[in-house]
Amino acid sequence: MSDTTTANLDERTQVGSVFVSNYPPYSAWTPGQVPAVAAALASPPEAGASLGLYVHIPFCRVRCKFCYFKVYTEMGSPQVRGYLEALTSEVRIFSGMPAVAGRPLQFVYFGGGTPSFISARDLKALARDLKALIPWEGASEVTFECEPGTLTQSKLEAIREIGVTRLSLGVETFDDTVLKENGRAHLSAEIYRAIPWIRALAFDQLNVDLIAGMVGETWDTWREAVRRTIEMDPDSVTIYQMELPFNTVFSQDLLGHKREIPLADWGVKREWHAHAFDQLTMAGYEMSSVYTMVKKGSDARFVYRDAVWHGSDMLGTGVASFSHVNGVHFQNTTEWGEYLGRLDAGELPVTRAFQTSAPQRLVRELILQLKLGRIETDYFRKKFGVEILTEFARAFERLRDRGMLSLTEGRIELTRDGLLRADGLLSEFYAPEYRNTRYT
């Protein structure tokens, strides 16, 4: 395995979205379909559908150069508290809707941005207010994303106190030079400072995020990142291959020809991803999805992921957040002022939506569950009344012929090559009108 690679054109990392999180693509969602949201929320939930709550905290110390989320880096305490009040107002509106009222939450997910950016005081107040509207004491999982440099012992105590069960630590890599080059706010010493506090509080699950392919990463730094991660002994490890959606700092620099950026090509990123999975396997982990490894014999899991990939309803709250209720996708405004203003007026801040059909919901679950690395055909037969090996025979055969998956009676399983490039395979199952459209 060489430490250097000559990238060919097809393997070069270029600007554009790769990671698939929904279907139909976001570019198909429109303002014209927003009226479908009111109808979906005014209807009772579908029988057996679970419900989750996503809470978007869009604040960060700095913006990472590869980040494509809606984040703010210069908001003071008054703005943060005003936002949290608006977020609570949004949940209050949802809580009274027929599609939501009285339903238990299966999961809660605090994402960002950086949820751990806000103070312990503000976090406890937010949790108190949200729980009063939609209780989560019975939720199977409450996940909280953290940036290591924002953590203190008292803040972690507050995170534990509000009921967080799964703490997800955005480590990304351990090399300080690479962290700085990519605009990360934390350094490796802050990771190690936080670990004893996390262990002492005995969270049910500690997840560590790594990114293969950050600018400046080498085989040596990546091997060391994997070694140190295993040494930390987390309950699960999630590995992403770095992509460059259109709105990142790196992407804008490339598109504007401002500077050359040394990017690992996709072949190298797959090799790094494979190395991490190999080392984790030898250390006693097993695959949970094409991104995640969990300790064998542990209770580690990812309820949020599994619920969403199996068609759960989800309330996405906060600026720019995405929701899915009763078969309707919808997104909040991406503008700070509009988000606050509409909630102040008692309105949901939804700006685009998409009413899905039964075939679209089938494709959505099929492609997302393929990212688990294996799917059972019986699930789709029972839920949708469709034999997927017949309905999508040509797509499955094309991927099998490329060596990306194997087909056995009742089961479809990605091969090693398929696992490492899963997101790039999923468009095989798209309806023709979506295959050549921009994803976002």
Side-chain angles (χ1 to χ4, degrees):
M1 194 176 289
S2 172
D3 281 12
T4 59
T5 297
T6 301
N8 62 52
L9 184 61
D10 294 332
E11 290 285 86
R12 194 175 304 162
T13 296
Q14 300 184 41
V15 176
S17 298
V18 175
F19 184 86
V20 174
S21 61
N22 219 326
Y23 179 86
Y26 296 104
S27 63
W29 304 16
T30 66
Q33 295 199 49
V34 167
V37 178
L41 291 169
S43 302
E46 295 180 3
S50 60
L51 177 67
L53 174 66
Y54 179 89
V55 182
H56 184 54
I57 308 296
F59 308 110
C60 292
R61 293 196 291 168
V62 297
R63 182 181 183 88
C64 302
K65 296 176 184 178
F66 55 81
C67 175
Y68 55 93
F69 296 108
K70 188 68 176 180
V71 299
Y72 304 92
T73 58
E74 297 180 355
M75 296 293 185
S77 294
Q79 290 93 343
V80 170
R81 287 175 184 155
Y83 175 83
L84 298 181
E85 289 173 5
L87 200 154
T88 301
S89 296
E90 185 179 4
V91 174
R92 182 176 295 109
I93 294 171
F94 277 131
S95 69
M97 298 289 190
V100 177
R103 292 177 70 181
L105 289 175
Q106 184 184 16
F107 65 85
V108 180
Y109 194 102
F110 287 86
T114 307
S116 55
F117 176 92
I118 64 176
S119 70
R121 173 188 167 188
D122 287 343
L123 174 60
K124 286 191 279 190
L126 174 65
R128 179 198 65 224
D129 294 342
L130 296 185
K131 285 181 181 180
L133 296 167
I134 308 182
W136 69 60
E137 283 78 4
S140 299
E141 176 182 275
V142 180
T143 294
F144 198 93
E145 293 182 347
C146 297
E147 185 256 285
T150 62
L151 294 176
T152 61
Q153 185 172 358
S154 61
K155 189 174 290 185
L156 281 162
E157 288 169 353
I159 293 169
R160 192 75 175 99
E161 182 183 323
I162 69 170
V164 169
T165 60
R166 182 178 184 272
L167 197 74
S168 191
L169 197 61
V171 168
E172 322 311 6
T173 191
F174 285 84
D175 186 273
D176 288 344
T177 301
V178 176
L179 289 168
K180 291 176 183 177
E181 174 63 28
N182 289 267
R184 289 295 292 174
H186 75 276
L187 297 175
S188 58
E190 293 169 306
I191 301 168
Y192 288 108
R193 182 188 66 183
I195 290 300
W197 300 329
I198 293 169
R199 292 300 186 197
L201 288 164
F203 287 89
D204 293 0
Q205 184 176 344
L206 171 63
N207 176 76
V208 166
D209 279 351
L210 297 177
I211 299 178
M214 293 175 73
V215 173
E217 197 82 77
T218 66
W219 261 110
D220 286 342
T221 60
W222 180 250
R223 290 189 188 102
E224 183 66 2
V226 174
R227 186 192 69 77
R228 290 197 191 189
T229 299
I230 292 170
E231 191 177 64
M232 283 174 57
D233 195 33
D235 302 290
S236 61
V237 181
T238 302
I239 300 155
Y240 299 103
Q241 297 175 30
M242 197 174 90
E243 60 175 334
L244 292 178
F246 283 90
N247 62 335
T248 71
V249 172
F250 282 146
S251 298
Q252 293 306 306
D253 285 351
L254 285 169
L255 293 171
H257 305 288
K258 294 179 181 178
R259 62 176 177 132
E260 289 295 321
I261 299 173
L263 297 166
D265 66 79
W266 287 106
V268 169
K269 286 185 282 192
R270 288 194 294 271
E271 288 180 357
W272 289 349
H273 196 155
H275 170 77
F277 269 28
D278 288 343
Q279 295 301 306
L280 286 160
T281 298
M282 288 190 286
Y285 292 76
E286 60 187 352
M287 194 185 77
S288 170
S289 78
V290 299
Y291 315 110
T292 303
M293 300 285 280
V294 301
K295 278 186 183 177
K296 284 183 181 177
S298 74
D299 294 327
R301 53 187 179 150
F302 195 175
V303 174
Y304 163 82
R305 176 200 70 195
D306 292 341
V308 170
W309 290 3
H310 286 77
S312 171
D313 283 347
M314 185 178 76
L315 304 175
T317 59
V319 65
S321 287
F322 299 94
S323 299
H324 177 82
V325 177
N326 280 338
V328 178
H329 298 317
F330 52 100
Q331 185 189 15
N332 284 347
T333 176
T334 61
E335 300 303 319
W336 174 271
E338 184 180 5
Y339 178 78
L340 297 178
R342 290 183 61 174
L343 283 164
D344 188 54
E347 303 172 6
L348 287 175
V350 177
T351 54
R352 64 172 177 163
F354 191 97
Q355 170 74 65
T356 61
S357 64
Q360 289 165 341
R361 291 194 288 275
L362 165 62
V363 172
R364 179 178 185 257
E365 290 199 36
L366 171 60
I367 64 175
L368 293 177
Q369 289 177 42
L370 267 175
K371 301 207 289 184
L372 294 170
R374 64 272 164 196
I375 54 176
E376 307 290 337
T377 59
D378 191 49
Y379 169 87
F380 296 92
R381 183 184 309 114
K382 289 178 178 177
K383 184 167 184 177
F384 296 97
V386 173
E387 295 287 350
I388 59 172
L389 286 176
T390 301
E391 183 74 14
F392 302 100
R394 292 185 64 187
F396 281 125
E397 288 166 5
R398 283 194 295 267
L399 292 176
R400 181 197 60 195
D401 292 346
R402 290 172 54 193
M404 297 296 143
L405 54 76
S406 63
L407 304 174
T408 57
E409 187 174 349
R411 188 177 178 88
I412 298 143
E413 195 159 357
L414 294 180
T415 63
R416 177 61 167 243
D417 280 348
L419 290 170
L420 296 173
R421 54 178 96 213
D423 285 285
L425 309 178
L426 304 181
S427 61
E428 288 280 355
F429 300 93
Y430 287 15
E433 61 266 33
Y434 301 127
R435 284 186 188 153
N436 296 310
T437 61
R438 181 163 161 171
Y439 181 66
T440 55

